[in-house]
Amino acid sequence: MKNSGFKDFLSLAYIEITKYKNRVIESFRHPLTAIKTMGSFLFPFIVILFLYTRKNGGGYTLLQVIIKPHILSAIIMLILLLIFMLTIYNSVAKYNPSQFESADVNYLFPSPISPRTIYAWTIIRKCIKGLIGSILLVVVMVITVSRVSEVHIFKLIYVIIAILLFPILQNALIFLVYTISNRFNLGKLIKYCILSFAGVIVFHLIYNTVGSKNILDTVIDILNEKFFSTILIVGWLRDMLIAPFVANKAPFIQTVVLVVITTAMLFCAIYFADDYYEEAGEDVGYHEKIVDTHSSTIYDIVDNLEDSKKSKTVEAFNIKELRGPWAFIWKSSIINKRTAKKGGLIGYAIALIASGVMCYFLRGKEFSSFYPLFILVFLQGAISSAQISSPLKYEIKKQYLFLLPGSAAAKLLALHVKPIINNVITDTLMLLPIVFFTETSILQVVLLWLIAVVIIILCYLSTVIIILVTPPNDNGKNLIIQSLVSYVMFAPAIAVTALIVIYLKNVMLALSMFVIISIVIIIIILRLSDFLFSKIELR
């Protein structure tokens, strides 16, 4: 039939709308589940709004320093360049679609619906899903930025259009590059073009920054040059995303041209989309396996290693040096040696560079104007890390955890020594640039470091509590509860700190009390650990 593709598209849209309608109805029957789902997304932004929209506060002063149109423009340009160059380069050899789901592979691929219709539908579906979440994010960020900078509300339409076009562009580009590379054998040529383009940009940046007194300011000015605005697609997207924050003429022509190019690329991708089931099925299967093992840790991965990899000799602690519950440190060391890649070092480097850039913009600022930002970063980072890397989720399924001699507190500390040390190293690297760029004393930096350490330990202990009181196979359903427990554990220390700052106006005393109260809470939890373990043994 001539119009069967259009009818199939409408049928798929109807099914999707019905699915979301049923979810809304279900949310009214189980409001707590809906609150948990929305809360996990909105809570960080609510915290940002609360901390950084109060006038005359440290966060407000920090926003005034960082949120400037030319800085935002440079950051957006750099991110977009990296995304598109890596997308094109990686798509030459492998097709990694991101719009397909398990249901698409299991039900739509075997159906009589044409591959082109399925491809078009999945891209449109992904764009609509992403647009809803992105609009929420844009609203929160615009409210925050509007406190310190002028925002042209009528230009927000360009931001929304850019957010809608971006996933279409990216997915169409991935498929087109992969198809062209394989059908016309142009993969090497495309890679050479991308590497040459990257080389030109790097050379341009180096050439213009040699001899400059303020390298970072010079790089920002270069990224805002007209040369970068003329780069196809990337420059236009940047101008659209930054439009509400600048007084320049609205990028109407760039938007129209980008819509036309995006439409053309989408139609070309749909035209070539007739043989992608195998690659898409493999990619979805890979990601589905990750989702199914959401509650797994690196310990589960080691269990599934081949025998040849398990028998590989590694250098670790001497087993004779660590006995009883402290042998878990030795075990963590072995697992880290067998599974460690360069990711840890890359993470440390990113933390140091990001903190260095942030402190550069804060150069000359006093301690009281920026310490809330670092505390918030430490808190959010520690909560996320504890949720992901706590080994207790794995070890609690093993009987030897209860049979080995030693107190529960010692076992908990031994289990979490390695991840805690990794987090402490990251936070330490983030604090180093403060010494060189800001007006802070060694005592203030040490105090911030102690705050980072107690935050990390408390977050891991909150994870321990959740693991001990919830079913062992919750598949990550209690992440929002775990986050709330983390914040509740900090409530006494935060309350005392806030009272001291408000009434006594003494920041150092307030932060010192935060550390002391947090240490007391840590000791209390460790004292109660034997009681919690006894309940687990009886469960």
Side-chain angles (χ1 to χ4, degrees), residues 226-267:
K226 190 176 181 180
F227 166 76
F228 287 94
S229 294
T230 57
I231 297 177
L232 296 178
I233 298 177
V234 175
W236 302 338
L237 273 174
R238 191 272 301 272
D239 292 343
M240 293 168 65
L241 290 171
I242 203 68
F245 310 109
V246 296
N248 299 341
K249 184 179 179 181
F252 177 76
I253 296 178
Q254 294 97 315
T255 303
V256 173
V257 175
L258 189 60
V259 170
V260 173
I261 291 178
T262 303
T263 305
M265 290 180 63
L266 179 60
F267 275 109

Side-chain angles (χ1 to χ4, degrees), residues 164-178:
L164 179 63
L165 294 179
F166 179 77
I168 299 177
L169 273 168
Q170 191 178 23
N171 284 279
L173 194 61
I174 290 172
F175 190 75
L176 277 177
V177 171
Y178 177 76

Side-chain angles (χ1 to χ4, degrees), residues 247-452:
N248 299 341
K249 184 179 179 181
F252 177 76
I253 296 178
Q254 294 97 315
T255 303
V256 173
V257 175
L258 189 60
V259 170
V260 173
I261 291 178
T262 303
T263 305
M265 290 180 63
L266 179 60
F267 275 109
C268 289
I270 293 173
Y271 175 77
F272 286 115
D274 55 357
D275 186 19
Y276 58 87
Y277 283 177
E278 183 177 353
E279 294 87 350
E282 291 179 358
D283 186 75
V284 170
Y286 172 76
H287 289 93
E288 187 179 18
K289 185 177 180 180
I290 295 176
V291 172
D292 289 341
T293 57
H294 183 82
S295 60
S296 299
T297 65
I298 197 69
Y299 292 77
D300 298 297
I301 297 174
V302 172
D303 273 351
N304 295 323
L305 286 175
E306 297 175 5
D307 291 336
S308 59
K309 294 182 179 180
K310 287 184 179 180
S311 61
K312 181 182 177 181
T313 303
V314 296
E315 295 180 3
F317 292 104
N318 188 343
I319 189 172
K320 296 180 181 179
E321 298 176 0
L322 297 167
R323 298 179 180 276
W326 304 107
F328 284 112
I329 301 176
W330 172 78
K331 180 180 179 182
S332 298
S333 178
I334 290 180
I335 290 176
N336 186 67
K337 291 285 185 179
R338 283 178 174 162
T339 60
K341 305 292 182 183
K342 296 181 180 179
L345 295 176
I346 293 174
Y348 295 151
I350 292 174
L352 182 60
I353 294 171
S355 180
V357 172
M358 186 165 55
C359 290
Y360 179 82
F361 290 116
L362 295 171
R363 61 190 184 278
K365 295 294 178 181
E366 295 181 355
F367 179 76
S368 59
S369 65
F370 64 81
Y371 77 87
L373 173 67
F374 280 88
I375 293 177
L376 181 63
V377 170
F378 294 154
L379 184 58
Q380 288 297 122
I383 289 175
S384 301
S385 178
Q387 291 173 348
I388 295 171
S389 59
S390 175
L392 183 62
K393 191 75 174 178
Y394 168 86
E395 299 290 358
I396 202 171
K397 302 174 185 177
K398 309 297 182 181
Q399 290 297 322
Y400 58 71
L401 179 65
F402 305 100
L403 298 176
L404 283 175
S407 66
K411 294 176 184 177
L412 292 178
L413 289 176
L415 281 171
H416 294 93
V417 162
K418 195 68 178 179
I420 287 175
I421 290 176
N422 291 337
N423 281 271
V424 169
I425 292 174
T426 302
D427 290 348
T428 304
L429 292 174
M430 290 188 66
L431 288 172
L432 287 179
I434 294 179
V435 180
F436 302 101
F437 290 105
T438 61
E439 296 182 2
T440 53
S441 65
I442 298 299
L443 179 61
Q444 290 170 334
V445 175
V446 170
L447 193 56
L448 261 185
W449 184 83
L450 290 175
I451 290 173

Side-chain angles (χ1 to χ4, degrees), residues 14 156 288 298 343 420 433 460 466-467 472 498:
Y14 174 77
L156 285 176
E288 187 179 18
I298 197 69
I420 287 175
Y460 274 97
I466 292 297
I467 293 174

